[in-house]
Amino acid sequence: MQATVRSFDEATRSGTVFLDDGTVLEFGAPAFDAGPLLLLRSGQRVNLAMTGAEITYITLSTFPVPPR
């Protein structure tokens, strides 16, 4: 699934994204830490892995999401 970064807090390593339909979802440090990124900025396109309604992995749209 793809989304756009809405906000990112470097101190907590958490933030929010907009889905393409405008829905806002939050992600926590575990989802950010699962990927290879050092930081995110507003407006970046990202790939997400989700379990139910929870984001479990976030990375740039040019990077693959690991298989489940």
Side-chain angles (χ1 to χ4, degrees):
M1 171 181 294
Q2 289 195 335
T4 302
V5 176
R6 179 176 178 244
S7 65
F8 178 69
D9 183 331
E10 290 182 58
T12 63
R13 299 178 328 280
S14 62
T16 58
V17 295
F18 285 116
L19 299 182
D20 291 343
D21 68 1
T23 303
V24 176
L25 296 177
E26 296 181 359
F27 65 90
F32 182 77
D33 293 343
L37 305 178
L38 300 176
L39 74 114
L40 289 168
R41 61 176 166 64
S42 295
Q44 281 183 305
R45 288 292 286 174
V46 291
N47 281 335
L48 309 173
M50 298 186 68
T51 300
E54 179 183 2
I55 298 172
T56 56
Y57 186 93
I58 185 167
T59 193
L60 297 181
S61 63
T62 55
F63 294 170
V65 172
R68 293 180 185 230

